[in-house]
Amino acid sequence: MGINKFTYTLGSLLFCLLAFAVQAQQVTVSLLLTFYISAQLADPQSTKAELGRLSKAYYQGFLIGLDSLNHPTKTIRLQVYDTDNDSVRTARILQLDEFKQSQLIIGPVMQGGNKMVSAFASQKKIPQVSPLMTFSKTRINEPYWIAANPELPNYARIFCHYIRQTNDTAVVIVITDKSPYDLAITPAMKKLTGEYKKIKFHFVEFTPSLDIQRFISPTVPVHILMPGNKEQNCYRLLYQLKDTTEHPHVAVYGFSQWFDFKTVDIDLWQRKNVHFLTPAFMDYSQEQVKAFVATYRHKYATEPGEEAFKGYDQARYFAQLLLDKGNNTIQSMPQQSHIGLSTSYRYTLTSTGTLFNNYLNVLRFENNKLVRVY
């Protein structure tokens, strides 16, 4: 079984001008992606083919991000490996001498092989980034394992932090329904009740007969979190609530899965003050976003999706940190925040020594347009 691999060396104009005066140092970044090339050729509509396209888009965005970096004395050598989501192939990659020179590992994108790479990264003390997905059910408790996106249990702390930033006192109502998001977020939220003294928490199980109005304070700000994404349940609850003209202090929070509902009622969402928590959001009115889209179109003759933006943002953050901080990349992350095109990176060090991104976009519709409010 062969290993698909290629390299890409980043050089800046500034480096070229100084090439004769300064011996450039080279830092090595390794990408472990799943391109599923054979699946894309055999069945373009398959799940594997779709994952391959997402990996390709991420890689293309990452390249644009690398091209935008600069450092007076360092360049980046990028090594790209196609794991094909195969643990045997991943194990062989880890044995390559060139891979052992990695100073930053990004990937794999899937759970398969991730623990194997994490063990390698921890042993070698190499930062390893999970670029597209998080694995809350199989959390790898390693100080060198970094999730680019917040894990679901951490949504609870980010949400509570947002509420505390916006209100001195508040009521938080969490609607439980045994959905995957509920099972991941609600237990974490319950652990925080003693930490946020000025927030009064209610954990309410959803039933068709639920009367949500009896939990709503007439004066104190009320924040209703619905971890579930069952369309019928979400709308049933919204119809009970008064419009924001009558209750401007009441807000509802859902997730980006709502955008996949059969009925996307933007007018209702605006009238009920619905907010959305999501790790990625692209504001196409921003000049920086427009510039990235134009560059991506020019280079690849297609439109950039969410994964392309993630690739760009992560190159701008993690690769730039490696250039600037070298072996101190991990230690520097809590002090080095970054505002990207689709998200921000605000890493917090936990008591167990692991890092997590303490940021989610908070969105809502205003005048029928989705905007970021936090």
Side-chain angles (χ1 to χ4, degrees):
M1 182 184 297
I3 297 175
N4 295 329
K5 177 259 179 182
F6 51 96
T7 62
Y8 175 94
T9 302
L10 170 69
S12 67
L13 177 60
L14 179 58
F15 165 69
C16 292
L17 295 174
L18 298 176
F20 293 104
V22 180
Q23 181 69 37
Q25 295 178 323
Q26 196 173 71
V27 296
T28 301
V29 177
S30 292
L31 288 185
L32 296 171
L33 299 174
T34 302
F35 292 104
Y36 277 135
I37 296 172
S38 58
Q40 292 195 57
L41 294 174
D43 185 3
Q45 304 305 316
S46 67
T47 302
K48 288 184 177 181
E50 176 61 19
L51 178 60
R53 287 190 289 271
L54 297 183
S55 290
K56 178 182 177 182
Y58 175 90
Y59 166 64
Q60 291 172 335
F62 196 90
L63 288 184
I64 296 175
L66 287 189
D67 282 341
S68 70
L69 305 182
N70 63 75
H71 192 279
T73 61
K74 295 179 183 177
T75 60
I76 289 178
R77 180 173 185 263
L78 178 65
Q79 302 181 143
V80 185
Y81 301 89
D82 183 7
T83 68
D84 208 41
N85 198 28
D86 185 306
S87 58
V88 174
R89 177 176 290 188
T90 302
R92 292 184 62 193
I93 292 171
L94 299 183
Q95 297 302 313
L96 296 174
D97 288 339
E98 61 197 21
F99 187 81
K100 293 177 182 178
Q101 304 305 311
S102 303
Q103 292 163 275
L104 171 65
I105 300 171
I106 299 181
V109 298
M110 297 292 288
Q111 184 173 329
N114 208 66
K115 288 186 176 180
M116 187 189 310
V117 177
S118 178
F120 172 90
S122 180
Q123 180 186 17
K124 301 291 186 181
K125 297 184 179 181
I126 304 169
Q128 179 204 355
V129 178
S130 174
L132 300 180
M133 305 174 188
T134 56
F135 309 112
S136 299
K137 292 183 179 179
T138 56
R139 179 69 172 96
I140 297 174
N141 195 25
E142 297 283 357
Y144 292 91
W145 193 84
I146 306 159
N149 302 302
E151 296 186 57
L152 288 179
N154 289 331
Y155 278 37
R157 181 172 294 278
I158 297 170
F159 176 74
C160 290
H161 179 74
Y162 167 73
I163 299 304
R164 187 169 63 182
Q165 292 276 309
T166 53
N167 303 120
D168 290 331
T169 60
V171 173
V172 168
I173 305 169
V174 182
I175 308 299
T176 67
D177 64 354
K178 303 296 189 296
S179 66
Y181 269 49
D182 171 33
L183 295 175
I185 296 172
T186 301
M189 187 79 74
K190 289 181 177 179
K191 292 179 180 179
L192 297 174
T193 55
E195 187 174 333
Y196 291 85
K197 301 293 186 180
K198 294 186 177 181
I199 298 178
K200 183 176 182 179
F201 292 87
H202 296 287
F203 297 90
V204 182
E205 183 178 357
F206 180 87
T207 64
S209 60
L210 172 64
D211 179 12
I212 193 64
Q213 287 293 149
R214 68 188 182 92
F215 296 98
I216 294 178
S217 166
T219 55
V220 178
V222 177
H223 303 270
I224 304 171
L225 179 66
M226 299 187 66
N229 60 352
K230 294 181 180 178
E231 181 171 351
Q232 183 178 9
N233 296 351
C234 293
Y235 280 120
R236 187 189 294 269
L237 184 139
L238 290 180
Y239 290 141
Q240 287 189 37
L241 299 174
K242 296 180 180 180
D243 286 1
T244 53
T245 53
E246 297 181 71
H247 273 175
H249 64 293
V250 177
V252 179
Y253 298 81
F255 299 92
S256 56
Q257 290 88 340
W258 286 35
F259 302 138
D260 296 324
F261 284 172
K262 292 181 179 178
T263 301
V264 176
D265 194 336
I266 294 175
D267 177 67
L268 178 68
W269 294 350
Q270 289 180 143
R271 289 191 288 108
K272 306 299 181 178
N273 200 17
V274 176
H275 295 62
F276 300 94
L277 308 176
T278 176
F281 171 68
M282 289 72 72
D283 183 352
Y284 290 93
S285 66
Q286 291 188 348
E287 292 304 317
Q288 288 181 311
V289 173
K290 291 179 181 178
F292 172 72
V293 171
T295 301
Y296 194 92
R297 286 173 178 167
H298 176 73
K299 290 179 70 72
Y300 305 117
T302 188
E303 295 294 312
E306 180 178 314
E307 285 68 29
F309 279 92
K310 286 182 177 180
Y312 178 85
D313 284 344
Q314 290 173 33
R316 295 275 299 172
Y317 180 64
F318 294 109
Q320 185 67 63
L321 262 180
L322 180 62
L323 284 172
D324 295 339
K325 303 299 180 179
N327 293 335
N328 293 319
T329 295
I330 288 281
Q331 294 84 349
S332 302
M333 287 175 62
Q335 292 79 42
Q336 300 287 328
S337 60
H338 174 74
I339 299 174
L341 300 185
S342 66
T343 192
S344 293
Y345 298 102
R346 300 175 184 173
Y347 277 93
T348 299
L349 188 66
T350 68
S351 58
T352 61
T354 58
L355 290 158
F356 76 91
N357 188 7
N358 191 32
Y359 180 80
L360 285 169
N361 296 289
V362 181
L363 316 174
R364 73 180 177 196
F365 281 95
E366 296 179 0
N367 299 317
N368 298 320
K369 180 184 177 182
L370 194 61
V371 298
R372 182 190 291 114
V373 296
Y374 177 76

